[in-house]
């Protein structure tokens, strides 16, 4: 076992965590792995149904609306905006973690604040998109969009879309709430007294995971 | 102790190196560029679809490229933003090895899905009794 870790440190001699991570961070990793299987199961189920269908609605004709440009046909525009918002929020999160490493309370507060703002912008965008689709008659069990080949589509498309983006959106919402709690704890000096900002790292892991899932939701619902 | 420990973690020297921010910025640029390339390919597929006799294989090829680009994005997020690349190898393996199940998971389900589609397309339009009657030798080659 010892040959896989640096020779200078005897990780398995006791007194140290062999993985050199705090218990909570390790468990966050395993939780995220299980969550990856949950999302993976959703997306593979969606992929299987789509693969077994002769035709499927064209995302470019379904997701073509942009706020303030109602009635215009602009595929991919709004979802690109949402994707970049989430990427930027991931960057501010990793900067918050970085400030935590330096023990800079003000920096952590600043970047956590911006992460929460971008998270809320994402949630607002998703709420707008859901509302827009709902007005067009799309919901669980109701699909107004025809297949790409012109035939009438089943409700599989909307069922999967609302279930998976809803599940992801709920993760974003919980991420925002968790970030908010971490922000309040930081500004109250909890981590300063504790001497480390490991909690920000764990919160950050969860937030990056939400961005990671969006990469695949964006890919399989909007792009391909 | 020679190490500074936080909550059981021995702090890793790279965390304090001043290159951390430039690494974050570089990763941000990579993620943005990949996303822009994906969007360009997405628009290209969209314009291809306007032509009624577009090449399905070429569109599949482009979609394959987009999927590979997304996997690259996932790698950068996990490895740099989530710092998994900086962890001890054994920890990385306990996360990554179970995820290899996805290879089977995806292959098996998509294979089954396309088989289901083919079987349905093959048999659904045909009345089972009529199908028996029309099983002429000339058709057997077409069934594979």
């Amino acid at each position: 076992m010892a040959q896989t870790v640096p020779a200078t440190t005897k990780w398995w001699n006791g007194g140290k965590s062999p993985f050199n991570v705090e218990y909570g961070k390790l468990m966050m990793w395993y939780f995220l792995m299980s969550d990856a299987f949950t999302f993976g199961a959703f997306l593979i189920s969606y992929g299987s149904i789509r693969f077994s269908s002769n035709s499927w609605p064209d995302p470019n004709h379904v997701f073509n609306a942009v706020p303030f440009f109602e009635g215009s046909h602009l595929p991919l525009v709004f979802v690109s905006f949402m994707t970049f918002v989430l990427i930027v929020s991931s960057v501010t999160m990793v900067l918050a973690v970085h400030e935590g490493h330096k023990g800079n309370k003000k920096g952590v507060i600043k970047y956590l604040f911006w992460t929460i703002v971008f998270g809320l912008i994402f949630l607002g965008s998703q709420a707008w998109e859901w509302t827009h689709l709902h007005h067009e008659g799309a919901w669980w069990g109701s699909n107004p969009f025809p297949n790409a080949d012109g035939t009438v589509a089943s409700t599989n498309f909307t069922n999967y879309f609302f279930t998976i983006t809803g599940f992801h959106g709920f993760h974003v919402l919980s991420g925002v709430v968790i970030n908010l709690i971490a922000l309040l704890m930081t500004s109250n000096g909890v981590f300063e007294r504790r001497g480390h900002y490991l909690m920000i790292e764990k919160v950050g892991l969860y937030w990056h995971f939400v961005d990671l899932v969006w990469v695949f939701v964006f890919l399989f619902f909007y792009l391909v | 102790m020679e190490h500074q420990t936080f909550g059981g973690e021995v702090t890793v020297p790279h965390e304090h190196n001043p290159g951390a921010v430039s690494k974050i910025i570089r990763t941000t640029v990579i993620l943005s560029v990949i996303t822009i390339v994906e969007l360009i390919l997405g628009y290209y597929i969209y314009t291809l679809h306007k032509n009624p006799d577009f090449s399905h294989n070429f569109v599949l090829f482009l979609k394959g490229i987009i999927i590979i680009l997304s996997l690259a994005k996932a790698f950068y997020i996990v490895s740099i933003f989530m710092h998994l690349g900086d962890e001890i190898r054994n920890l990385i393996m306990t996360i990554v090895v179970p995820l290899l199940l996805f290879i089977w998971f995806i292959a098996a389900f998509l294979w089954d899905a396309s088989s289901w589609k083919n079987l349905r397309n093959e048999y659904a339009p045909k009345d089972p009794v009529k199908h028996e009657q029309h099983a002429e030798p000339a058709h057997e080659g077409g069934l594979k």
Side-chain angles (χ1 to χ4, degrees), chain A residues 87, chain B residues 27-36 73 76-77 81:
Chain A
I87 289 178
Chain B
T27 311
T28 310
V29 171
I30 291 172
L31 288 178
S32 308
V33 168
I34 293 178
T35 307
I36 290 167
K73 269 192 342 193
Y76 279 109
I77 291 172
F81 280 2

Side-chain angles (χ1 to χ4, degrees), chain A residues 1-14 16-21, chain B residues 86-93:
Chain A
M1 278 182 270
Q3 72 257 31
T4 55
V5 296
T8 49
T9 315
K10 297 268 186 279
W11 295 105
W12 295 89
N13 275 2
K16 290 190 192 78
S17 156
F19 285 165
N20 192 30
V21 284
Chain B
D86 302 331
E87 301 288 0
I88 283 175
R89 206 181 113 89
N90 283 348
L91 169 54
I92 300 176
M93 286 304 143

Side-chain angles (χ1 to χ4, degrees), chain A residues 28 43 53 57 59 64-65 69 77 98 104-106 111-112 115 117 137-138 145 154 158 162 176 190 197 199 217 220:
Chain A
M28 178 55 90
L43 285 172
S53 308
N64 61 1
F69 294 93
V77 172
H98 181 68
N104 178 3
K105 181 178 154 184
K106 280 207 172 111
Y111 287 119
L112 262 186
T115 309
V117 168
F145 308 110
S154 71
T158 43
F162 286 112
V176 167
V190 175
Y197 284 84
M199 188 57 80
V217 172
F220 291 119

Side-chain angles (χ1 to χ4, degrees), chain A residues 111-130:
Chain A
Y111 287 119
L112 262 186
F113 171 77
W114 284 112
T115 309
I116 292 166
V117 168
F118 288 120
L120 289 174
I121 293 174
F122 181 87
L123 280 175
S125 308
Q126 198 164 39
W128 182 88
E129 185 173 47
W130 273 42

Side-chain angles (χ1 to χ4, degrees), chain A residues 160-182:
Chain A
Y160 275 110
F161 175 79
F162 286 112
T163 302
I164 294 177
T165 59
F167 203 68
H168 174 265
F170 191 68
H171 272 72
V172 179
L173 178 65
S174 19
V176 167
V177 171
I178 292 166
N179 283 345
L180 209 54
I181 294 169

